[in-house]
Amino acid sequence: MQYDFKKIEKHWQQYWAKNETFKAENNSEKPKYYVLDMFPYPSGAGLHVGHPLGYIASDIYARYKRHKGFNVLHPQGYDSFGLPAEQYAIQTGQHPAITTKTNIATYRKQLDKIGFSFDWSREVRTSNPEYYKWTQWIFIQLFNSWYNVESDQAEDISTLEARFSSEGNATVNAVCDETVETFSAEEWQAFSSEKQQDILLKYRLTYLAETEVNWCPALGTVLANDEIVNGVSERGGHPVVRKKMTQWSMRISAYAERLLQGLDGIDWTDALKESQRNWIGKSVGASVTFNVKDHNETIEVFTTRPDTIFGVSFMTLAPEHDLVSKITTPEQKDEVNAYIEATAKRSERDRMADVKTISGAFTGAYAEHPFTKEPIPIWIGDYVLASYGTGAVMAVPCGDQRDYDFAKHFNIEIPNIFEGVDISEAAFADKEKTVIANSDFLNGMNYKKATKRAIFELEQIGQGQGKTNYRLRDAVFSRQRYWGEPFPVYYVNGMPQMIDQKHLPITLPEVEKYLPTETGEPPLGRADVWAWDTQLNQVVSNDKIDDKTVFPLELNTMPGWAGSSWYFFRYMEEQANRGNAFATEDALNYWENVDLYIGGSEHATGHLLYARFWTKFLKDRGFVNVDEPFKKLINQGMILGTSAFVYEAIYDGKGLGVYLSNKNFIGDVDLSEEKKENFLWDNFKELFQSKGLDECSVEYISFRGLNIKIDYVSSNDILDIDGIKADKEFGKEYREAIFIGENDKIIEGDNDVYKVGREVEKMSKSKYNVVNPDQICEDYGADSLRLYEMFLGPLEQAKPWNTAGITGVHGFLKKLWKLYVDDNGLKITDAEPTKDNLKTLHKTIKKVEEDIENFSFNTSVSTFMIAVNELTAQKCTSRDILQPLLILVSPYAPHIAEELWHQLGNDMSISTAPFPVFEEKHLVESSKNYPISFNGKMRFTLELPLDMSKDEIEKTVMAHEKTQEQLQGRTPKKVIIVPGKIVNIVG
């Protein structure tokens, strides 16, 4: 009976689906375990072999936990809103819902082929109105909440309104906008409704504000920092500029300290925790206020070194700072405006990362030093960000490298306030040893004492106070897109109003096109039916807007991270109970949070931070009972593709359509040497003359590597030129191409080959190095794919894919099959296992269990191979050995394990079988195979019990026939015995 993996895998995938084998139960008597993969976005390209890596790892662990007696929740769904589907809709005119549905169907088919133990009954799609109804509901809860610093948690906005009515806001300690003015209870009560709403908006956890954003004109939308690469949009490579827009924002900054402290209680890698700590960026120091000379304005700065206040020689504002336009002198206006325009083209990430470029402009204005009253020139520079801190810094060149470089570049005076510091070399002083000079009240103090004294003196003159600052800034929550969650918001006299939750969801309207309007409004501005009737409580036609009972709806949509910030709670609830809550109290109490979360490290400062923020908020408001969503988090490494390159000759930046077989060598000729042009001209004179080049211009030919489809490259790197030219799309640019082969001749027939270059890099559709898992499953089976992806190396590390290597694990599966089945069928017996059988089994149990617990899946695959080899050599057919072995293999290769399990006569799925129990006694040696030596040379071995005495060992060895044969009647001089090691007969 042959190992027919196609038939086996198809059968068991259908069986699992039909019987809902992996469906989790709420409130089971078993202990719970929740395993989750990071939310996949269903792109049109489908899965490549790099995508399932984390899914296979989580599936192994989920299956293992089931064997260990846990009630396992292992769900899957789709993060199905987003920019790619919208961009495709813009290009084709096809509704994003249609392409998203098609993409999801492709993903589901691919995932099912790999045999994951997902509970599909709990599937989630963020673009489903029944799902985003609750995303809208959470937004409303955020809008109706404020952050009470005294209780250190979010509270219902009604409690804040009550305090305003009874005592005003003077004693209210809240996280709020800095522009809030103090008012009494009487004043509050006298304010108009619009005024009260405007004040409350400055306290709400989600609020409207004019914000600096990353605006991409080509895409017509705001982009998050992680959607920008090298100053252009990740999607499409379009320019991005900084722009002020009125946006919805989330007051995540209120949770900065709790987000920091919460990292101490979760099992995440140190690198991941450090990424979040750096992003949150806690700093302890002082807020200092500088008056602007000749203006009724002040500049607030935050500094961690208030003790260096006497070293301030200039101030730098972010180019976007509100004060810049107010204080810039007429003489400096043109220079400043030009600099602001140039800076707007750089992303914040680029500006933060660029430590080498020095640029700026002088405003012509001066600030006043708080103590000396000396004038301080005010500059603008793009190394200062408006969104970080106050958007202004007090520059101390003798205490900060970047300030020092800026001052030297623009020839700004550098006062030396640190005794013994060589500022010409920017050798900055040790904080603990610095002696502060140039000040009566700081002179002679070390850093700590001087810091406290400086804050005290600033407080005395009303120009500063101690403060803790965070780099983390409030998250912009608006996107100028169509394909996203609509806000449940309408506007009355410009003030946002929430739609009652009983009327949710507010679903996306139909629009003619998915582009922004001609007047710059988001795509929802094209909707004809997008107004809210407060009497009918429904969406109605825009022409009914009267600003009395019918009002305009919000035109922006929510960002991609909205739905992914709480989806893990939705999975907890069974489909039947999802109608009345985002998850019922019973489900939330049972599952609590995710026990194991696996996904990419690229989400460290985006999704993971937002999900933690929303969870803490939901906990504050009593909607969930945990304040961390993910107990343990593992970042899987990347599977890299092996790209193939052809090398095109280029002249004056233009490709010549001539491709060389290798970038640096053609045959024995080194093209990187000076004789390159002589070789080209001597060998291909007519060719290059036909391209309009002469001998002189050939000297300036260079080469560029171009990615080529790996589908047309053999395992020994030979290019299928005819295949490429026949490719309808990819082959267009190669139809007239000239390929120069390995024998330095133009390829015209079958007598020569063209060898590509190779490079290991990220697997990507754009690099044409993607390997489709469907083809691997077709050729080798899903179990081979699963084993091979684990066998490639440690889960957390990046590793290159090589399809040729999969034959090894496929061969192992065939050998595993033969251990159970031969040409006559199943060969398992009820024979008693031998001592060696038991030893092999139990050392395998021990190793595999340790590996799974430590997520060292690659070494388990090696262990399986060793076990099968040993049991094959032992001619083992014992059911007592081979049945538990299948359970060990099952998490890794579930299809073959399930098939053999049922052939052994088991009715229930192998997933319900308990994990084998390791017994140490089977690894304890009771005997020793002694080497028996004569005059130091080993002649034979003899197995003896380990508990034999020296005398008993000597008698047994001397009586053995092989000993007598060696001695031939002689009497040895002595017998050396080391118990448990050797026997040496001398003489």
Side-chain angles (χ1 to χ4, degrees):
M1 187 185 299
Q2 295 298 310
Y3 170 45
D4 188 347
F5 63 84
K6 291 183 182 179
K7 181 180 177 181
I8 290 169
E9 291 177 359
K10 182 179 180 181
H11 170 74
W12 289 111
Q13 287 163 12
Q14 291 174 344
Y15 174 92
W16 295 330
K18 179 181 177 181
N19 293 278
E20 295 186 310
T21 303
F22 308 115
K23 187 174 182 179
E25 300 294 332
N26 284 8
N27 303 311
S28 168
E29 293 181 358
K30 297 178 181 179
K32 72 94 180 180
Y33 202 86
Y34 185 176
V35 181
L36 186 61
D37 304 294
M38 285 192 184
F39 225 6
Y41 176 80
S43 71
L47 295 171
H48 61 62
V49 293
H51 292 127
L53 179 68
Y55 302 162
I56 295 169
S58 67
D59 196 55
I60 290 171
Y61 205 82
R63 288 175 179 273
Y64 166 72
K65 281 295 186 179
R66 290 191 191 96
H67 288 310
K68 280 291 191 176
F70 285 82
N71 177 32
V72 176
L73 174 57
H74 188 209
Q76 187 58 282
Y78 307 98
D79 190 9
S80 50
F81 271 133
L83 189 56
E86 181 165 301
Q87 286 301 296
Y88 187 75
I90 291 170
Q91 294 164 12
T92 65
Q94 195 170 20
H95 198 289
I98 296 173
T99 56
T100 298
K101 185 178 180 180
T102 302
N103 294 345
I104 286 175
T106 301
Y107 260 56
R108 174 64 188 271
K109 184 179 178 181
Q110 289 186 294
L111 291 170
D112 284 346
K113 274 188 177 180
I114 304 174
F116 295 118
S117 63
F118 292 135
D119 179 357
W120 283 110
S121 72
R122 302 189 186 225
E123 182 192 295
V124 159
R125 300 182 185 188
T126 56
S127 57
N128 186 329
E130 287 306 307
Y131 178 83
Y132 68 70
K133 164 185 178 178
W134 297 104
T135 309
Q136 292 172 339
W137 176 82
I138 293 172
F139 176 84
I140 293 171
Q141 308 314 309
L142 284 155
F143 182 82
N144 289 328
S145 300
W146 66 292
Y147 200 89
N148 188 340
V149 175
E150 293 172 358
S151 62
D152 199 21
Q153 65 178 26
E155 296 180 6
D156 192 282
I157 200 74
S158 62
T159 63
L160 183 63
E161 291 181 90
R163 289 187 63 174
F164 287 170
S165 293
S166 63
E167 59 188 77
N169 71 341
T171 60
V172 172
N173 190 1
V175 178
C176 59
D177 291 0
E178 295 182 354
T179 57
V180 172
E181 297 178 359
T182 303
F183 54 81
S184 65
E186 292 75 19
E187 288 173 318
W188 170 260
Q189 292 165 14
F191 289 152
S192 66
S193 174
E194 285 78 8
K195 175 73 171 176
Q196 289 181 344
Q197 289 181 59
D198 184 57
I199 292 171
L200 288 172
L201 202 56
K202 299 178 187 299
Y203 287 85
R204 297 181 187 275
L205 286 184
T206 185
Y207 60 95
L208 278 173
E210 193 175 61
T211 310
E212 279 281 336
V213 295
N214 302 311
W215 173 251
C216 180
L219 298 177
T221 189
V222 167
L223 298 177
N225 283 330
D226 56 8
E227 295 173 313
I228 303 168
V229 178
N230 298 324
V232 298
S233 64
E234 184 179 34
R235 176 68 53 176
H238 303 295
V240 177
V241 298
R242 299 291 294 170
K243 180 180 179 181
K244 281 192 175 180
M245 296 179 68
T246 299
Q247 302 281 294
W248 283 103
S249 291
M250 290 280 176
R251 215 178 290 277
I252 188 175
S253 58
Y255 285 83
E257 185 62 29
R258 286 171 61 186
L259 288 168
L260 269 179
Q261 298 303 321
L263 293 170
D264 295 335
I266 51 181
D267 185 7
W268 293 15
T269 64
D270 290 340
L272 198 57
K273 289 182 179 182
E274 196 59 27
S275 291
Q276 291 214 348
R277 289 190 182 102
N278 290 337
W279 193 261
I280 295 167
K282 182 179 181 179
S283 302
V284 178
S287 173
V288 184
T289 302
F290 289 80
N291 295 321
V292 180
K293 284 183 172 292
D294 302 322
H295 291 272
N296 188 26
E297 303 286 353
T298 60
I299 299 174
E300 182 186 355
V301 302
F302 172 81
T303 176
T304 58
R305 294 295 304 269
D307 60 308
T308 66
I309 188 75
F310 288 94
V312 178
S313 56
F314 64 98
M315 302 193 73
T316 311
L317 305 182
E320 310 88 353
H321 198 291
D322 291 337
L323 278 183
V324 174
S325 60
K326 298 177 182 178
I327 65 174
T328 299
T329 61
E331 296 80 5
Q332 296 297 121
K333 189 172 184 179
D334 289 345
E335 181 184 348
V336 167
N337 288 343
Y339 184 75
I340 291 172
E341 184 178 349
T343 300
K345 297 175 182 177
R346 302 187 71 201
S347 71
E348 284 195 359
R349 181 167 290 181
D350 289 341
R351 288 162 59 180
M352 291 169 67
D354 186 1
V355 296
K356 296 181 179 179
T357 305
I358 301 172
S359 63
F362 179 44
T363 65
Y366 292 83
E368 181 183 82
H369 193 285
F371 294 114
T372 67
K373 307 305 179 185
E374 292 291 323
I376 302 170
I378 302 172
W379 288 70
I380 60 172
D382 67 359
Y383 73 96
V384 182
L385 305 178
S387 55
Y388 176 55
T390 64
V393 298
M394 61 177 218
V396 183
C398 55
D400 181 272
Q401 181 69 56
R402 202 153 194 178
D403 293 343
Y404 175 83
D405 294 339
F406 193 95
K408 293 291 285 184
H409 184 79
F410 290 107
N411 199 27
I412 302 172
E413 181 184 356
I414 304 175
N416 184 3
I417 65 160
F418 294 152
E419 291 182 357
V421 178
D422 181 5
I423 60 172
S424 63
E425 297 179 4
F428 305 118
D430 185 295
K431 286 183 177 180
E432 295 298 324
K433 298 178 180 178
T434 295
V435 177
I436 309 298
N438 300 338
S439 160
D440 291 339
F441 59 81
L442 297 181
N443 196 28
M445 294 183 182
N446 66 19
Y447 158 68
K448 290 182 179 179
K449 289 182 179 180
T451 296
K452 291 181 180 178
R453 182 61 185 272
I455 293 172
F456 172 79
E457 294 293 342
L458 286 166
E459 289 174 345
Q460 293 301 299
I461 62 173
Q463 287 191 246
Q465 59 183 350
K467 186 178 181 180
T468 299
N469 199 40
Y470 298 90
R471 181 180 293 113
L472 180 67
R473 49 196 181 273
D474 289 345
V476 176
F477 198 67
S478 295
R479 296 293 185 268
Q480 291 66 45
R481 300 174 187 165
Y482 172 78
W483 193 233
E485 295 92 335
F487 284 91
V489 176
Y490 64 96
Y491 289 88
V492 177
N493 296 327
M495 297 304 299
Q497 313 295 320
M498 296 296 113
I499 294 170
D500 193 287
Q501 66 185 62
K502 64 187 177 185
H503 304 306
L504 302 179
I506 304 302
T507 58
L508 282 169
E510 293 297 322
V511 295
E512 180 186 0
K513 290 191 292 187
Y514 307 103
L515 289 165
T517 68
E518 286 69 18
T519 56
E521 292 178 321
L524 290 185
R526 295 183 179 275
D528 295 324
V529 181
W530 197 237
W532 185 251
D533 189 317
T534 57
Q535 292 184 322
L536 298 176
N537 290 310
Q538 65 184 35
V539 178
V540 297
S541 175
N542 294 358
D543 57 20
K544 294 185 179 180
I545 294 175
D546 58 10
D547 291 320
K548 295 178 181 178
T549 60
V550 181
F551 302 92
L553 282 159
E554 171 67 65
L555 299 182
N556 290 312
T557 54
M558 297 186 198
W561 59 268
S564 63
S565 291
W566 72 278
Y567 76 108
F568 38 89
F569 290 124
R570 190 62 165 174
Y571 283 139
M572 295 178 183
E573 191 53 78
E574 296 167 318
Q575 287 283 359
N577 299 325
R578 287 180 172 178
N580 298 318
F582 72 95
T584 61
E585 187 176 350
D586 286 346
L588 293 166
N589 288 338
Y590 179 72
W591 293 109
E592 293 186 320
N593 51 10
V594 177
D595 295 285
L596 174 65
Y597 198 34
I598 296 182
S601 59
E602 66 272 16
H603 298 291
T605 55
H607 158 63
L608 291 173
L609 204 58
Y610 299 139
R612 295 182 64 218
F613 158 46
W614 275 34
T615 300
K616 290 180 185 300
F617 164 74
L618 292 170
K619 171 69 161 54
D620 287 352
R621 293 299 314 276
F623 301 124
V624 301
N625 58 0
V626 293
D627 67 356
E628 285 292 343
F630 317 116
K631 289 181 182 177
K632 183 176 182 66
L633 175 60
I634 293 178
N635 295 136
Q636 83 273 12
M638 188 180 294
I639 288 184
L640 304 172
T642 304
S643 299
F645 293 88
V646 292
Y647 300 99
E648 183 180 24
I650 57 173
Y651 176 74
D652 196 24
K654 296 178 181 178
L656 300 177
V658 178
Y659 296 87
L660 279 69
S661 189
N662 187 294
K663 186 170 76 169
N664 296 315
F665 298 93
I666 295 181
D668 296 324
V669 180
D670 185 348
L671 293 184
S672 62
E673 300 296 331
E674 295 176 359
K675 57 185 178 181
K676 172 184 67 175
E677 67 277 6
N678 298 326
F679 167 80
L680 290 172
W681 188 254
D682 292 343
N683 287 272
F684 305 105
K685 179 178 180 179
E686 293 181 2
L687 170 62
F688 285 106
Q689 282 179 333
S690 71
K691 301 288 181 181
L693 303 179
D694 55 26
E695 188 170 8
C696 179
S697 58
V698 172
E699 180 180 353
Y700 298 101
I701 288 179
S702 58
F703 298 87
R704 63 183 174 193
L706 300 174
N707 285 91
I708 202 87
K709 273 189 176 181
I710 61 171
D711 311 57
Y712 300 117
V713 181
S714 69
S715 58
N716 57 348
D717 300 339
I718 296 173
L719 181 65
D720 176 6
I721 296 173
D722 291 337
I724 284 181
K725 291 186 175 183
D727 190 304
K728 289 183 179 180
E729 290 299 323
F730 183 76
K732 287 179 181 177
E733 61 183 286
Y734 296 102
R735 300 243 162 86
E736 304 300 323
I738 295 171
F739 291 90
I740 299 173
E742 289 294 288
N743 66 355
D744 308 336
K745 304 293 184 183
I746 295 174
I747 297 176
E748 295 177 341
D750 299 328
N751 297 324
D752 196 15
V753 296
Y754 182 101
K755 280 202 170 184
V756 299
R758 288 288 198 174
E759 187 174 329
V760 174
E761 54 186 350
K762 181 180 179 181
M763 193 172 285
S764 166
K765 185 179 178 182
S766 65
K767 298 180 185 297
Y768 304 107
N769 63 357
V770 167
V771 178
N772 191 322
D774 296 0
Q775 192 61 50
I776 299 297
C777 290
E778 178 69 20
D779 295 341
Y780 300 98
D783 285 341
S784 293
L785 173 67
R786 292 168 64 105
L787 282 170
Y788 185 54
E789 294 223 359
M790 293 298 98
F791 190 53
L792 283 172
L795 179 62
E796 297 91 341
Q797 293 182 11
K799 44 258 178 188
W801 175 271
N802 180 3
T803 301
I806 202 169
T807 56
V809 293
H810 187 61
F812 157 72
L813 289 174
K814 289 181 178 178
K815 197 166 187 177
L816 174 69
W817 181 262
K818 289 178 181 178
L819 188 61
Y820 293 79
V821 179
D822 60 19
D823 292 340
N824 299 317
L826 196 68
K827 60 180 185 179
I828 305 303
T829 68
D830 293 325
E832 284 291 318
T834 66
K835 182 171 60 176
D836 285 342
N837 294 162
L838 289 167
K839 180 179 179 182
T840 295
L841 174 64
H842 283 272
K843 72 178 182 180
T844 304
I845 294 171
K846 183 175 187 290
K847 184 68 167 67
V848 171
E849 186 165 7
E850 289 174 351
D851 285 346
I852 294 177
E853 291 288 357
N854 295 319
F855 302 93
S856 301
F857 304 121
N858 57 313
T859 51
S860 277
V861 180
S862 302
T863 300
F864 292 141
M865 293 176 175
I866 293 168
V868 169
N869 285 339
E870 289 183 359
L871 292 172
T872 300
Q874 295 162 15
K875 295 182 170 53
C876 177
T877 60
S878 172
R879 178 184 297 271
D880 291 346
I881 299 298
L882 298 183
Q883 183 157 289
L885 178 65
L886 285 178
I887 302 172
L888 299 179
V889 172
S890 175
Y892 294 79
H895 305 89
I896 191 173
E898 192 83 81
E899 174 67 21
L900 292 171
W901 178 259
H902 279 260
Q903 286 199 29
L904 287 172
N906 297 290
D907 295 328
M908 300 298 289
S909 169
I910 194 172
S911 64
T912 64
F915 200 80
V917 178
F918 168 66
E919 295 182 36
E920 180 73 35
K921 65 182 181 181
H922 295 299
L923 301 190
V924 176
E925 300 287 351
S926 60
S927 62
K928 166 68 180 177
N929 198 27
Y930 281 89
I932 310 301
S933 300
F934 292 82
N935 296 319
K937 293 183 178 180
M938 197 272 286
R939 298 299 183 183
F940 66 93
T941 61
L942 185 61
E943 188 166 354
L944 300 172
L946 281 171
D947 57 359
M948 289 183 77
S949 66
K950 276 189 174 185
D951 290 341
E952 290 173 324
I953 292 172
E954 183 172 346
K955 287 178 182 179
T956 303
V957 171
M958 293 304 295
H960 199 276
E961 59 182 15
K962 289 187 176 181
T963 303
Q964 296 302 317
E965 183 181 330
Q966 287 289 327
L967 290 174
Q968 295 182 347
R970 299 190 305 275
T971 301
K973 293 178 181 179
K974 60 180 176 178
V975 179
I976 301 171
I977 297 173
V978 180
K981 293 187 177 180
I982 62 165
V983 176
N984 186 26
I985 299 171
V986 181

